[in-house]
Amino acid sequence: MEKVLIIKAGYSEFLERNHSRKVSFGDVLRTTPLLHLYKEDNVTWVTDESAYPLLENNPFIKRLLPYDVNTILQLESEEFDSVINLEKVPGICALADKIKAWKKFGFRFNTFTGEAEAHDRAFEVLAVSSDSILKQKNEKTAQELLFEMVGKKWNGEKYVLGYKPRTMEQYDVCLNTLAGQKWPNKAWSAERWNRIEEKLIEEGLKVSRQDKQPNEILTNLHDYMDWINSGKLVISNDSLGMHLAIALNKKILALFGPTPHKEVYFYGQGKAILPDPVPECMPCFKPECKKEKPCILDINTEKFLEEIKKIQNFY
């Protein structure tokens, strides 16, 4: 049994160069397949405290710590067999460099430039996240790149979510309609959501819609996970809701515009829905579109309805 430290607070997305103090919950969840490699080991995971509901009661995490001053001071005096730093925030990289460990993976601190740089096996991940052309050409899923960072091969390992939802499936379809503040460009229009909702109800389906839910579902992660679990099929943009649907083994259709669908693996549970036609600039990785309309609005509503019928076996 080895002592392993994983640092993933969610401040920098695994395959994005930029970082902030806004937590990307979906990116925290999509790094959990890595835990399969260390399920027999003593794993400590450091994250932002707001992301705790995604990692609490995880069977492969022995100790969950918040990223705060007390944790920093503790880790600087602790020893590990392996440290895996999945954050590109310079200060977190500097901390990871100070922690005593035989093996280190992921990202480290360049004392000359003051920026994050890659440990040997993470060069491809850093290149993909930093170079928009390489990112557009990338054919590997996030899981493949994640496992390669630690010198392993991904063999289809799934997300690991410790939370046990309190709800049963009660809706045929849950419409996960909202896009986060960080990526307003991911949002589909209210008119298109209205069209989908109306058609599904006409088909006699029971539908629940995110933007019509009580505030606690929108602001409390436990309640939000319960809501996602209440649907047989989840329709979502590229967001936490999509990753939760995958983790909860839901049927899933995900709408993509500015972000790369090839990085997402659906484990045979669904697929990505793309604009028609797909523009040359997609994916652009831009929070806002400078064109007349965002490409995600070119997702054809009628063709999308056909995809919904196929996945739900309505015919």
Side-chain angles (χ1 to χ4, degrees):
M1 179 182 291
E2 290 196 353
K3 189 179 178 184
V4 179
L5 173 65
I6 298 175
I7 304 174
K8 182 58 184 175
Y11 304 141
S12 61
E13 294 201 17
F14 173 54
L15 289 172
E16 289 291 335
R17 180 63 179 175
N18 297 328
H19 54 79
S20 70
R21 289 308 295 244
K22 292 181 180 178
V23 178
S24 176
F25 296 108
D27 208 58
V28 172
L29 183 57
R30 78 166 175 175
T31 56
T32 58
L34 194 64
L35 286 166
H36 289 277
L37 297 174
Y38 306 103
K39 59 186 178 183
E40 303 298 331
D41 296 321
N42 185 339
V43 175
T44 297
W45 189 303
V46 175
T47 194
D48 188 273
E49 198 163 6
S50 65
Y52 264 39
L54 300 173
L55 299 170
E56 286 174 327
N57 301 314
N58 192 299
F60 302 150
I61 298 176
K62 181 76 171 180
R63 182 175 55 163
L64 185 60
L65 297 177
Y67 181 69
D68 59 20
V69 173
N70 289 331
T71 294
I72 292 170
L73 292 174
Q74 176 181 337
L75 294 178
E76 286 180 339
S77 299
E78 202 166 333
E79 295 185 22
F80 294 86
D81 292 293
S82 298
V83 171
I84 304 166
N85 174 34
L86 302 176
E87 293 290 335
K88 304 184 195 77
V89 179
I92 297 179
C93 291
L95 168 65
D97 287 353
K98 290 181 180 180
I99 299 170
K100 301 179 184 70
W102 292 103
K103 295 171 285 187
K104 293 191 176 182
F105 305 98
F107 305 104
R108 57 187 175 182
F109 184 63
N110 186 314
T111 56
F112 184 76
T113 65
E115 297 292 333
E117 66 178 22
H119 285 290
D120 292 345
R121 290 191 173 97
F123 278 123
E124 184 175 5
V125 169
L126 190 60
V128 167
S129 65
S130 302
D131 188 315
S132 59
I133 295 176
L134 287 178
K135 195 165 178 62
Q136 285 180 323
K137 293 181 177 179
N138 176 49
E139 297 287 334
K140 294 182 179 180
T141 64
Q143 291 92 323
E144 288 178 279
L145 291 167
L146 184 66
F147 275 57
E148 288 174 8
M149 281 180 64
V150 296
K152 302 294 183 180
K153 182 178 178 0
W154 177 62
N155 292 306
E157 288 84 353
K158 291 190 173 185
Y159 294 32
V160 187
L161 180 66
Y163 181 68
K164 305 300 181 187
R166 299 164 292 185
T167 54
M168 303 292 288
E169 288 184 346
Q170 54 184 307
Y171 301 106
D172 296 301
V173 184
C174 281
L175 301 177
N176 194 63
T177 57
L178 301 178
Q181 294 180 353
K182 185 177 179 181
W183 285 96
N185 206 11
K186 291 180 178 180
W188 216 27
S189 69
E191 292 78 14
R192 287 167 172 78
W193 284 117
N194 291 341
R195 170 71 173 157
I196 293 295
E197 182 181 23
E198 289 168 3
K199 292 298 291 184
L200 293 177
I201 291 173
E202 286 177 10
E203 292 276 353
L205 300 174
K206 194 173 182 181
V207 179
S208 181
R209 181 164 161 170
Q210 183 189 15
D211 55 353
K212 295 182 179 180
Q213 299 307 304
N215 187 60
E216 56 266 25
I217 288 179
L218 304 180
T219 58
N220 183 290
L221 264 180
H222 293 108
D223 290 336
Y224 182 54
M225 287 189 280
D226 288 342
W227 178 74
I228 290 288
N229 192 63
S230 69
K232 297 175 183 177
L233 166 66
V234 175
I235 300 175
S236 176
N237 52 41
D238 176 15
S239 65
L240 171 61
M242 176 191 73
H243 291 291
L244 281 170
I246 295 171
L248 290 167
N249 298 310
K250 301 295 172 181
K251 292 182 179 180
I252 172 78
L253 289 175
L255 290 71
F256 281 82
T259 52
H261 69 282
K262 292 180 181 178
E263 291 175 3
V264 179
Y265 188 73
F266 292 97
Y267 297 93
Q269 299 162 212
K271 63 185 292 186
I273 304 297
L274 308 180
D276 184 18
V278 177
E280 291 183 2
C281 59
M282 182 188 173
C284 67
F285 321 109
K286 295 177 181 178
E288 296 182 3
C289 182
K290 302 299 183 183
K291 295 189 175 182
E292 187 175 341
K293 68 174 180 177
C295 64
I296 198 165
L297 297 184
D298 284 329
I299 292 177
N300 184 285
T301 307
E302 299 309 314
K303 289 184 178 180
F304 187 31
L305 284 165
E306 292 303 312
E307 291 292 345
I308 297 172
K309 290 179 180 179
K310 288 177 186 176
I311 197 169
Q312 282 287 73
N313 297 317
F314 293 159
Y315 291 133

